[in-house]
Amino acid sequence: MINEFIKPVELAKSYRLINHGPTVLVSSAHNGIQNVMAAAWNMGLDFSPAKVAVVIDKSTLTRELVEASGTFALNVPSRAIAKLVLDVGHKSGREFASKKLDALNVPHFAGTAIQAPLIDGCVAWLECKLIPEPHIQKTYDLFLGEVIAAHADTRVFENGHWKYDANTPEELQTLHYVAGNTFLTVGAAFNA
Amino acid sequence: MINEFIKPVELAKSYRLINHGPTVLVSSAHNGIQNVMAAAWNMGLDFSPAKVAVVIDKSTLTRELVEASGTFALNVPSRAIAKLVLDVGHKSGREFASKKLDALNVPHFAGTAIQAPLIDGCVAWLECKLIPEPHIQKTYDLFLGEVIAAHADTRVFENGHWKYDANTPEELQTLHYVAGNTFLTVGAAFNA
């Protein structure tokens, strides 16, 4: 892993990495082509085996790579790379001759289970195997995946829990997309 | 509507009510029986017509009412009712002889398009018509809906945008479920 803070997350707890509704980056790779896009529309789908759902538009290069490779990663970006999330979200890999990561200087590292690059500057990563459901892929752009490896930054997620509090550095907060170039960030955790 | 702050939201902008990943309450009604449950696993699915996706477990009374009525509402709760969200999330309507709203004193009011009750103490509401997809309902507990009416509290959502800033009263923040009785709340918006 790219730094000492990143540790594996138990698969049965991996849903918690997106349970609070962050915008994610969807990364993918096939035949040497890598890509990444932003997706506010993602959610957990099951605990065990851990599953997720994400919307991937027909027009995207990511869609092509996910369908061809049968894999994708969800990366949970932090405020440190908010600007990059917007760039990645606004521009298609097709504009860069399928070399978006290079063109936009997206820092990345290798995962442990799939070929998709994992994006640096994120605080959690879910490596997923596509669960093929052609009807909903075609009709709703809706993709399901089984989580086969997961990792998180222990500065903010440890022992199956997010640790956000008043002392968490702002740059490690997750991003929750509103519209335009506006995000909300998470505040401190509280017990109801 | 139950108070003067609640105004209609343009359907094409209604996805923004859940775009930032709040935990929602799913309310439903059929043949005079009403129910409500909590669901962290929800997301937008399309802009126009506006669609949403939500996971509704097989064991729930809500599931039965949604399938029978073909409708459901997503209610976006605020911190003011965080304790109620936990109660509603931990106890099935079946434990209360299908009278969960009465038993747990869940304040509610009538919607404009469907029979499902809208929950007071929320800051946004999406009234939805089920898009029947029996295979994914049965296999993944995954339900899709078209938004046919939407409303929001203008103190926090207006002109298609959330207005969270440092001055927003804490009790109007949305809830982002972690685990146990712990939530994260949203902080101020920022522009990347």
Side-chain angles (χ1 to χ4, degrees):
Chain A
M1 285 295 141
I2 200 166
N3 69 52
E4 73 275 21
F5 302 116
I6 305 176
K7 300 290 181 200
V9 172
E10 184 191 343
L11 292 183
K13 297 281 169 64
S14 64
Y15 75 93
R16 290 188 184 167
L17 300 172
I18 59 169
N19 210 47
H20 67 302
T23 291
V24 301
L25 297 174
V26 184
S27 57
S28 56
H30 184 66
N31 270 355
I33 299 175
Q34 299 180 319
N35 203 44
V36 60
M37 60 170 262
W41 296 350
N42 70 88
M43 64 178 185
L45 182 65
D46 207 348
F47 299 103
S48 184
K51 299 190 190 93
V52 297
V54 61
V55 177
I56 302 176
D57 194 73
K58 277 174 191 59
S59 66
T60 63
L61 175 59
T62 296
R63 169 82 161 252
E64 196 178 311
L65 299 178
V66 170
E67 294 191 318
S69 68
T71 58
F72 61 89
L74 302 186
N75 309 257
V76 181
S78 70
R79 184 160 174 167
I81 61 164
K83 182 73 175 58
L84 183 67
V85 173
L86 289 180
D87 284 351
V88 155
H90 289 153
K91 291 169 187 169
S92 167
R94 299 192 199 287
E95 294 176 46
F96 304 109
S98 305
K99 298 189 175 175
K100 190 175 184 178
L101 277 81
D102 290 344
L104 296 179
N105 291 311
V106 181
H108 56 92
F109 56 100
T112 60
I114 64 174
Q115 292 297 313
L118 302 187
I119 310 304
D120 193 13
C122 292
V123 289
W125 300 264
L126 299 95
E127 300 184 52
C128 304
K129 196 175 126 187
L130 180 67
I131 300 170
E133 285 289 354
H135 168 66
I136 58 170
Q137 290 170 205
K138 189 171 168 221
T139 311
Y140 305 106
D141 301 332
L142 179 53
F143 287 73
L144 312 184
E146 181 182 337
V147 185
I148 56 173
H151 324 276
D153 187 314
T154 51
R155 289 173 293 180
V156 288
F157 187 95
E158 205 161 32
N159 299 323
H161 286 271
W162 289 105
K163 306 190 293 182
Y164 287 108
D165 64 26
N167 300 317
T168 304
E170 195 174 85
E171 68 267 23
L172 291 175
Q173 294 174 333
T174 54
L175 296 170
H176 301 254
Y177 190 57
V178 179
N181 59 351
T182 306
F183 293 98
L184 299 169
T185 50
V186 293
F190 78 98
N191 294 319
Chain B
M1 286 292 141
I2 200 166
N3 70 52
E4 73 275 21
F5 301 116
I6 305 176
K7 301 290 180 202
V9 171
E10 184 191 343
L11 292 183
K13 297 281 170 65
S14 63
Y15 75 93
R16 291 188 183 168
L17 300 173
I18 58 169
N19 209 47
H20 67 302
T23 291
V24 302
L25 297 174
V26 184
S27 56
S28 56
H30 184 65
N31 270 354
I33 299 176
Q34 298 181 319
N35 204 45
V36 61
M37 60 170 261
W41 295 350
N42 70 87
M43 66 178 183
L45 182 65
D46 207 349
F47 299 103
S48 184
K51 298 191 191 90
V52 297
V54 61
V55 177
I56 303 176
D57 193 73
K58 278 175 188 57
S59 66
T60 62
L61 174 60
T62 296
R63 169 81 162 251
E64 197 179 309
L65 299 178
V66 170
E67 293 191 317
S69 68
T71 58
F72 62 87
L74 301 186
N75 308 257
V76 181
S78 70
R79 184 160 176 169
I81 61 164
K83 183 73 174 59
L84 183 66
V85 173
L86 289 181
D87 284 352
V88 155
H90 290 152
K91 292 170 186 168
S92 168
R94 300 192 199 286
E95 294 177 46
F96 305 108
S98 304
K99 296 188 174 175
K100 189 176 186 178
L101 278 81
D102 291 344
L104 296 178
N105 291 311
V106 181
H108 56 94
F109 56 100
T112 59
I114 64 174
Q115 292 297 312
L118 303 187
I119 311 303
D120 193 14
C122 292
V123 289
W125 300 264
L126 299 95
E127 301 184 52
C128 303
K129 196 174 126 188
L130 179 67
I131 300 170
E133 286 289 353
H135 168 66
I136 58 169
Q137 292 170 205
K138 189 171 168 220
T139 310
Y140 305 105
D141 300 333
L142 179 53
F143 286 73
L144 312 184
E146 181 182 338
V147 183
I148 56 174
H151 324 276
D153 187 314
T154 52
R155 289 173 294 180
V156 288
F157 187 95
E158 204 162 31
N159 300 323
H161 287 271
W162 289 104
K163 305 190 295 182
Y164 288 107
D165 63 26
N167 300 317
T168 304
E170 194 175 86
E171 69 266 23
L172 291 175
Q173 293 173 334
T174 54
L175 296 169
H176 301 254
Y177 190 57
V178 179
N181 59 351
T182 306
F183 293 98
L184 299 169
T185 50
V186 293
F190 78 97
N191 294 319

